[in-house]
């Protein structure tokens, strides 16, 4: 393993644990998430520049709540506690943590003490993201309070002489407007990290780990043609070469013409030396989805059918023991496998069936976020037009069609989505959008076309700004662009007489419809 500076993120059950690590990596310092039960000897052996305690759903004063050894504060390593982590620091060091008289959730104006190194170059009144029902009622001896709100007397505290810092809010989320500065100040100024880690280090180390994990085994990579699976495929290709076979399953739920586009890039005429197999399984998937309306059930059916196709192909190839997937961290969190509630199952994580006929699942991108995957793709030499391709979920249009999936509904949403993407690109609006697409609602309504009554479907358009896909805001698409898209869809797509635009952020919504 390459010698490198690192910050350890101790996980106390918060859903933002990997997001904290990602923000540290943005400061060009490697970060890794470890469980709070990690022995102090192991932490010391890693020689971290700093330690960060994550948030979590528990109350620190309850006996069953997760805690680390208080001796961690005597190791001489700078520590930053976030939310639950700040309360844990206060509790273990004999401060007072209680149920707050007033809970704080969402964007909150916080007054900070700019003399603290943590708040250097931060506005005295700054907006932070709060999410707590307990609070630090009294800071431990030796600490000074460095931030507060009208209802939170210790929104931040520090004992700078011991390198101990704590914040009640979440600096890692984008809703904390100057959170990146705060984390930078901790990692670079308090911890003294040089900041010389880059994505090429991840690529080099991951290729080495894949070679060690796979050895002389055969690997089947589930290739969708999307950003995540494409980067995973090229990583594996560089690691194990011809031991890799990429299987692209056209389940009939792809965007318009996408199956042929994927084959053009990764097939025998494309730029990559891959063993590429295309499986046309449209009717098979439509048959399995017939009559199914509930979104989680659709995801589970699609996920299981994917696996069964991959198993069949593996048997044809012979001796395939590894299944590789382009799983990324937001998939893990939403599927409830990162100690958070299940929001929706992704077919490559929570959507996997109980029995999988492979020795091991290989997921080289599992701890990365979408923009980090794109950086890795560029490091691997993948062309920009592929790296910045619009994200597309594994279950495809199956989760952009509300209710039962049929071939005719797939045709409607394919045509509507193609028009939307074409007009967005023409208008130059696509450059700063995290994701945009058309979905088909299950609503039918009365309309008038050519002096005749119609009773057809409504299409919903979605476009969001996001960098990490954990949170997202609806994009303000110019009215004239939306008007042109609407006119074209109603005129050109048979079965549609109404178009709507979705203004919901994430949270409370998700980026996809189901």
């Amino acid at each position: 393993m390459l010698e490198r500076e690192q910050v350890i993120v101790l996980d106390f059950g918060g859903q933002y644990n990997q997001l904290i690590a990602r923000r540290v990596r943005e400061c060009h310092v490697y970060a890794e998430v470890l469980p709070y039960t990690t022995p102090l000897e192991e932490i010391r052996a890693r020689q971290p520049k700093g330690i960060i305690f994550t948030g979590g759903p528990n109350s620190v004063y309850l006996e069953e709540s997760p805690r680390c050894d208080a001796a961690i504060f005597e190791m001489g390593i700078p520590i930053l506690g976030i939310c639950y982590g700040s309360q844990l620091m206060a509790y273990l060091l004999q401060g007072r943590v209680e149920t707050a008289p007033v809970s704080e959730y969402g964007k909150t104006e916080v007054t900070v003490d700019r003399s603290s190194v943590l708040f250097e170059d931060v506005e005295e009144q700054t907006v932070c993201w709060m999410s707590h029902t307990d609070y630090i009622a009294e800071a431990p001896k030796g600490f000074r309070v460095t931030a507060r709100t009208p209802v939170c007397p210790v929104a931040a505290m520090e004992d700078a002489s011991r390198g101990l810092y704590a914040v009640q809010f979440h600096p890692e989320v984008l809703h904390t407007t100057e959170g990146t500065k705060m984390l930078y100040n901790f990692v670079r100024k308090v911890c003294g990290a040089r900041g010389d880690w880059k994505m090429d280090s991840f690529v080099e180390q991951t290729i080495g780990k894949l070679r060690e994990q796979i050895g002389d085994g055969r690997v089947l990579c589930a290739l969708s043609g999307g950003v995540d699976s494409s980067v995973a495929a090229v990583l594996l290709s560089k690691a194990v070469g011809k031991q890799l076979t990429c299987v692209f399953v056209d389940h009939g739920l792809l965007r318009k013409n996408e199956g042929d586009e994927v084959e053009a890039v990764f097939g025998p005429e494309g730029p990559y030396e891959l063993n590429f197999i295309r499986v046309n399984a449209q009717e098979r998937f439509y048959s399995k989805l017939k009559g199914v309306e509930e979104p989680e059930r659709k995801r589970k059916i699609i996920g299981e059918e994917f696996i069964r196709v991959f198993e069949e192909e593996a048997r044809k190839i012979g001796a395939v023991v590894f299944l590789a997937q382009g799983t990324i961290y937001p998939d893990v969190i939403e599927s409830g496998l990162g100690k958070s509630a299940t929001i929706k199952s992704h077919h490559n994580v929570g959507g996997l069936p109980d029995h999988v006929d492979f020795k091991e699942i290989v997921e080289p991108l599992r701890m990365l976020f979408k923009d980090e995957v794109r950086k890795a793709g560029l490091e691997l030499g993948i062309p920009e037009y592929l790296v910045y391709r619009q994200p597309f979920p594994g279950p495809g249009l199956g989760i952009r069609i509300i209710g039962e999936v049929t071939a005719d509904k797939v045709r409607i949403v394919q045509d509507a989505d193609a028009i939307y993407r074409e007009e967005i690109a023409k208008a130059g609006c696509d450059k700063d959008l995290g994701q945009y697409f058309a979905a088909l609602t299950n609503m039918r309504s009365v309309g008038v076309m050519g002096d005749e009554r119609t009773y057809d479907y409504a299409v919903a358009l979605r476009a969001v700004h996001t960098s990490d896909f954990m949170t997202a805001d609806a994009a303000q698409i110019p009215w004239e662009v939306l008007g042109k898209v609407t006119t074209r869809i109603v005129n050109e797509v048979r079965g549609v007489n109404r178009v709507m635009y979705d203004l919901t952020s994430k949270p409370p919504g998700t980026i996809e419809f189901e």
Side-chain angles (χ1 to χ4, degrees):
M1 178 167 294
L2 298 177
E3 290 296 321
R4 62 187 176 197
E5 296 178 324
Q6 65 174 304
V7 167
I8 288 175
V9 179
L10 282 188
D11 177 17
F12 290 92
Q15 66 171 325
Y16 296 136
N17 47 27
Q18 285 293 340
L19 185 54
I20 295 169
R22 170 258 173 83
R23 296 291 181 222
V24 173
R25 293 195 293 264
E26 286 179 347
C27 299
H28 300 297
V29 178
Y30 182 74
E32 190 167 334
V33 178
L34 298 178
Y36 72 91
T37 53
T38 304
L40 296 190
E41 301 76 44
E42 182 180 336
I43 293 175
R44 187 179 286 110
R46 288 171 173 259
Q47 300 181 320
K49 300 294 289 186
I51 298 169
I52 297 177
F53 293 175
T54 73
N58 304 92
S59 294
V60 296
Y61 44 77
L62 299 179
E63 190 61 37
E64 66 272 16
S65 295
R67 296 174 194 154
C68 58
D69 189 334
I72 196 169
F73 301 114
E74 308 306 322
M75 293 174 65
I77 301 169
I79 299 175
L80 171 64
I82 294 175
C83 196
Y84 177 88
S86 72
Q87 296 167 12
L88 181 66
M89 183 183 291
Y91 182 82
L92 292 177
L93 295 173
Q94 310 308 308
R96 195 155 47 87
V97 179
E98 301 175 348
T99 301
V102 179
S103 300
E104 286 182 305
Y105 293 98
K107 293 181 180 180
T108 305
E109 190 169 88
V110 177
T111 302
V112 305
D113 182 345
R114 299 181 69 197
S115 70
S116 166
V117 65
L118 201 65
F119 299 124
E120 280 186 17
D121 300 320
V122 173
E123 295 293 327
E124 186 175 1
Q125 301 289 327
T126 187
V127 173
C128 300
W129 184 260
M130 290 282 195
S131 181
H132 66 102
T133 53
D134 292 336
Y135 76 157
I136 299 170
E138 183 180 336
K141 186 178 178 181
F143 279 74
R144 73 183 185 104
V145 176
T146 55
R148 55 178 50 83
T149 76
V151 297
C152 185
V154 187
M157 65 179 190
E158 66 181 50
D159 182 345
S161 65
R162 300 169 67 189
L164 304 180
Y165 296 79
V167 294
Q168 180 59 68
F169 50 84
H170 288 272
E172 70 276 19
V173 303
L174 294 178
H175 298 302
T176 297
T177 54
E178 298 181 276
T180 300
K181 286 183 189 175
M182 299 171 196
L183 288 172
Y184 180 92
N185 287 340
F186 176 72
V187 172
R188 301 291 289 274
K189 296 177 181 178
V190 174
C191 300
R194 295 185 304 272
D196 53 9
W197 183 85
K198 293 183 174 64
M199 186 53 72
D200 57 356
S201 305
F202 168 82
V203 168
E204 181 180 345
Q205 289 161 14
T206 300
I207 289 172
K209 286 179 183 177
L210 288 170
R211 285 176 181 150
E212 183 179 341
Q213 179 183 6
I214 295 165
D216 58 1
R218 297 288 300 276
V219 187
L220 186 151
C221 179
L223 179 65
S224 70
V227 178
D228 306 329
S229 67
S230 297
V231 172
V234 177
L235 267 174
L236 284 156
S237 176
K238 288 185 179 293
V240 298
K242 290 297 185 181
Q243 294 166 237
L244 170 70
T245 298
C246 291
V247 175
F248 167 57
V249 179
D250 186 343
H251 51 10
L253 302 170
L254 298 171
R255 289 172 287 203
K256 193 170 186 176
N257 302 324
E258 192 158 36
D260 294 338
E261 292 171 4
V262 171
E263 185 169 2
V265 173
F266 291 100
E269 304 303 317
Y272 301 106
E273 292 185 17
L274 301 172
N275 296 315
F276 177 85
I277 297 171
R278 176 175 177 173
V279 180
N280 294 311
Q282 296 91 332
E283 294 307 318
R284 175 174 178 167
F285 277 82
Y286 290 163
S287 173
K288 291 285 184 179
L289 291 167
K290 187 174 182 180
V292 178
E293 297 188 1
E294 204 278 318
E296 268 300 288
R297 193 168 164 229
K298 284 196 283 186
R299 285 177 175 272
K300 296 286 188 182
I301 289 170
I302 293 169
E304 173 156 3
E305 207 58 24
F306 262 118
I307 292 295
R308 300 306 167 224
V309 173
F310 294 142
E311 288 173 344
E312 291 167 14
E313 294 303 316
R315 285 192 286 270
K316 293 176 188 175
I317 299 165
V320 174
V321 292
F322 296 93
L323 173 67
Q325 303 184 131
T327 309
I328 65 173
Y329 191 66
D331 300 341
V332 177
I333 281 293
E334 289 194 337
S335 294
L337 303 183
K339 298 184 182 177
S340 65
T342 300
I343 298 168
K344 55 189 180 185
S345 296
H346 290 258
H347 79 278
N348 51 348
V349 273
L352 286 175
D354 293 334
H355 174 72
V356 178
D357 194 17
F358 291 94
K359 174 185 172 184
E360 200 170 331
I361 306 294
V362 178
E363 297 172 319
L365 308 175
R366 187 181 178 88
M367 293 297 110
L368 296 188
F369 291 80
K370 182 72 72 176
D371 59 330
E372 292 184 307
V373 173
R374 288 188 167 122
K375 288 176 185 174
L378 294 175
E379 287 291 340
L380 287 162
I382 300 175
E384 282 196 20
Y385 76 90
L386 282 181
V387 170
Y388 289 100
R389 185 177 191 150
Q390 269 289 297
F392 192 61
L397 301 181
I399 57 170
R400 292 181 182 174
I401 295 171
I402 311 303
E404 183 184 9
V405 175
T406 66
D408 193 52
K409 286 183 178 179
V410 170
R411 187 264 312 163
I412 290 173
V413 77
Q414 281 180 334
D415 290 347
D417 182 71
I419 290 169
Y420 184 37
R421 288 188 290 124
E422 180 183 328
E423 292 300 332
I424 286 286
K426 275 185 190 176
C429 301
D430 56 325
K431 306 303 180 190
D432 64 342
L433 295 178
Q435 194 163 339
Y436 58 98
F437 58 87
L440 184 63
T441 74
N442 204 25
M443 182 186 85
R444 299 181 76 182
S445 62
V446 174
V448 179
M449 299 176 71
D451 294 329
E452 292 187 7
R453 177 187 184 275
T454 61
Y455 187 64
D456 286 327
Y457 287 105
V459 161
L461 305 178
R462 182 93 163 119
V464 298
H465 293 296
T466 182
S467 61
D468 53 33
F469 288 77
M470 296 287 285
T471 60
D473 292 312
Q476 296 185 33
I477 303 296
W479 190 253
E480 60 271 19
V481 177
L482 289 176
K484 187 170 184 181
V485 171
T486 298
T487 300
R488 283 196 60 193
I489 289 176
V490 171
N491 287 343
E492 298 175 31
V493 181
R494 177 171 45 84
V496 177
N497 66 359
R498 197 177 295 265
V499 176
M500 300 179 289
Y501 187 68
D502 182 2
L503 292 171
T504 315
S505 63
K506 175 187 179 181
T510 60
I511 294 176
E512 293 290 345
F513 269 59
E514 291 189 337

